[in-house]
Amino acid sequence: MSDSYTFQTNLLHNNQKIDPATGAVSVPIQHASTFHQYDIDSFGQYDYARSGNPTREALEEVIAGLEGGCRGFAFASGMAAISTAFMLLSKDDHIVITEDVYGGTFRMVTQVLVRLGISHTFVDMTDLEAVKKAIQPNTKLFYVETPSNPTLKVTDIAAICDIAKEHGALTFVDNTFLTPQYQKPLTLGADIVLHSATKFLAGHSDVVAGLAVVKDPELAQKLYFLQNSFGSILGPQDSWLVLRGLKTLHVRLEHSSQAAHKLATFLNEHPLVKKVYYPGLPEHPQYDIQQKQASSAGAVLSFDLLNEDIMRTFVKHVKIPVFAVSLGAVESILSYPAKMSHAAMNVEDRNQRGITNSLLRLSVGLENVEDLMKDFSDALEKANQIHLIQK
Ligand SMILES: *Cc1c(COP(=O)(O)O)cnc(C)c1O
């Protein structure tokens, strides 16, 4: 990575631009699981592919550069990256964690880590007093996800990192929603950045992958030890797919974020929409924090329709987005959190978090935004005709 280039140019002009052996302009996919050693006393750079693979290393180096960390790690999924990072903790440690964390992380913390004697307290991380109150003498980690899913709450990363440092604890930030293009948690004081590269980084709904980037070399060595110990590494084919996806990250995310902003504004003014959740709207409660710590509000928004019947008719008639879990792809993806990402949560907890039976989440893709708005407008008009006009 060069300091004199912008993020956009660094996506393409990094150390992986040209393969030194052949001049190839795409990173070679190295399938070998083992490597011949020429000298009995000193082994080469690679010995066994779980411990190191050149294709995976290319990706690890690129993401480390983009996040501004000292070392990157590629895992078989976002959850593999997150779960491996949690293994930096030990029995009797305590985690302060954001209450609207990704469902898989929630499951790991509440059903696996507790079994290993690692406890946690869920807090609303937009409330710094609540965060301070949740601290225990054995708190070793603050776990942040911002903007959060699906109600796009924004946590002040620098403020949490300050609290963590005061307490001698680490801060992990799940940066899946904004990517280093728009938010760089390591520069705001975080120790580890985590990604589901399945989403925006790879960007084409065709690979499951996870990444971690560490700021400090000593901590990086510990995470490398765990990556090699658990072995939930990303394979060379999938590493290559993420590397290819990264080359177009800037154009994809910029288009999708601008379109998301337009759609959020459009939906915000629509009479059938009760509430829009998008940190790019000035009325968003943490708009100022978002402006301060990130350079865009991103490509994901949620909106609550007047009631469940209207939501159902809208989903039935909207044509462009796929109706599915996941986000961060070339195609727009419409999700229904109550029955998808948050199905395991009881109704009271869901409603208390704003995840009602009429809430939809939209990850905006690369379609023309006018086409999307027309599609949404038509589907809402259908719902209007069926549910409101008869009154
Ligand atoms: C999808 C997702 C994950 C999990 O990643 P996988 O690649 O599905 O394992 C973690 N955090 C966030 C914010 C996600 O959206």
Side-chain angles (χ1 to χ4, degrees):
M1 301 283 140
S2 162
D3 284 343
S4 61
Y5 291 151
T6 61
F7 183 87
Q8 183 175 5
T9 304
N10 273 329
L11 285 172
L12 301 155
H13 297 271
N14 50 49
N15 284 347
Q16 310 307 327
K17 181 178 173 184
I18 295 163
D19 172 35
T22 61
V25 297
S26 171
V27 171
I29 301 174
Q30 178 53 263
H31 276 282
S33 61
T34 190
F35 297 80
H36 178 69
Q37 306 305 325
Y38 290 93
D39 183 332
I40 196 167
D41 291 316
S42 89
F43 283 8
Q45 187 184 354
Y46 302 102
D47 52 21
Y48 186 60
R50 169 163 37 72
S51 311
N53 166 284
T55 316
R56 189 177 87 228
E57 266 179 23
L59 170 61
E60 294 176 331
E61 195 191 305
V62 169
I63 192 65
L66 295 174
E67 286 282 8
C70 81
R71 194 158 170 194
F73 302 94
F75 294 90
S77 68
M79 280 321 303
I82 292 165
S83 303
T84 304
F86 275 135
M87 289 300 114
L88 288 162
L89 298 175
S90 301
K91 185 170 176 300
D92 298 330
D93 286 351
H94 173 256
I95 309 168
V96 174
I97 181 163
T98 180
E99 65 181 4
D100 37 19
V101 73
Y102 176 75
T105 311
F106 181 87
R107 190 165 49 212
M108 180 70 193
V109 167
T110 57
Q111 294 188 45
V112 182
L113 296 188
V114 287
R115 206 157 46 66
L116 307 179
I118 298 166
S119 59
H120 59 267
T121 305
F122 284 106
V123 287
D124 174 358
M125 281 214 167
T126 64
D127 179 353
L128 295 177
E129 287 315 307
V131 171
K132 286 180 194 157
K133 269 203 208 116
I135 298 173
Q136 296 182 9
N138 56 339
T139 300
K140 294 286 163 61
L141 172 66
F142 290 74
Y143 191 96
V144 180
E145 198 178 305
T146 181
S148 73
N149 183 21
T151 52
L152 287 299
K153 282 184 1 193
V154 173
T155 296
D156 187 333
I157 298 173
I160 298 291
C161 293
D162 285 348
I163 295 171
K165 286 205 174 76
E166 227 171 84
H167 198 75
L170 297 173
T171 306
F172 295 176
V173 179
D174 182 328
N175 202 26
T176 300
F177 270 40
L178 291 181
T179 85
Q181 179 163 323
Y182 292 146
Q183 179 169 277
K184 290 205 177 82
L186 298 183
T187 67
L188 299 168
D191 298 286
I192 298 185
V193 169
L194 297 157
H195 279 286
S196 170
T198 312
K199 316 294 167 56
F200 292 102
L201 297 179
H204 292 69
S205 302
D206 56 11
V207 61
V208 173
L211 295 168
V213 181
V214 185
K215 190 159 66 182
D216 167 69
E218 213 175 296
L219 190 62
Q221 195 51 38
K222 287 182 185 161
L223 190 60
Y224 173 71
F225 179 84
L226 289 168
Q227 183 194 36
N228 195 31
S229 300
F230 277 94
S232 58
I233 47 151
L234 190 64
Q237 297 268 6
D238 290 347
S239 295
W240 185 88
L241 277 169
V242 179
L243 278 165
R244 185 168 74 168
L246 275 170
K247 293 184 185 188
T248 56
L249 175 65
H250 190 270
V251 281
R252 287 186 287 108
L253 198 50
E254 190 170 61
H255 172 98
S256 295
S257 301
Q258 282 170 7
H261 202 131
K262 281 191 190 156
L263 272 159
T265 307
F266 160 76
L267 289 168
N268 207 24
E269 283 158 10
H270 199 285
L272 294 194
V273 179
K274 200 159 49 184
K275 192 172 163 97
V276 174
Y277 299 89
Y278 184 64
L281 296 178
E283 62 259 47
H284 185 283
Q286 294 95 35
Y287 177 78
D288 292 338
I289 297 170
Q290 180 69 15
Q291 293 287 108
K292 181 185 72 173
Q293 71 185 11
S295 53
S296 165
V300 180
L301 61 119
S302 294
F303 55 103
D304 204 352
L305 293 165
L306 283 188
N307 59 53
E308 187 173 340
D309 287 341
I310 290 174
M311 184 280 301
R312 284 179 179 272
T313 305
F314 171 77
V315 171
K316 206 165 129 194
H317 291 277
V318 75
K319 294 192 185 83
I320 294 177
V322 295
F323 186 61
V325 298
S326 200
L327 56 102
V330 287
E331 61 279 328
S332 289
I333 300 177
L334 188 67
S335 311
Y336 185 42
K339 292 231 162 137
M340 292 176 175
S341 53
H342 292 71
M345 201 178 264
N346 67 49
V347 187
E348 293 81 57
D349 282 350
R350 270 203 276 116
N351 283 334
Q352 189 231 323
R353 288 166 164 82
I355 310 164
T356 64
N357 283 346
S358 46
L359 184 82
L360 291 168
R361 187 190 73 197
L362 178 71
S363 165
V364 183
L366 299 186
E367 301 90 351
N368 180 290
V369 67
E370 303 298 330
D371 290 342
L372 273 172
M373 283 203 282
K374 168 129 194 355
D375 188 29
F376 275 51
S377 184
D378 290 351
L380 286 168
E381 181 49 34
K382 201 80 191 174
N384 191 33
Q385 280 166 13
I386 294 173
H387 301 290
L388 293 178
I389 283 187
Q390 324 137 323
K391 279 207 294 189

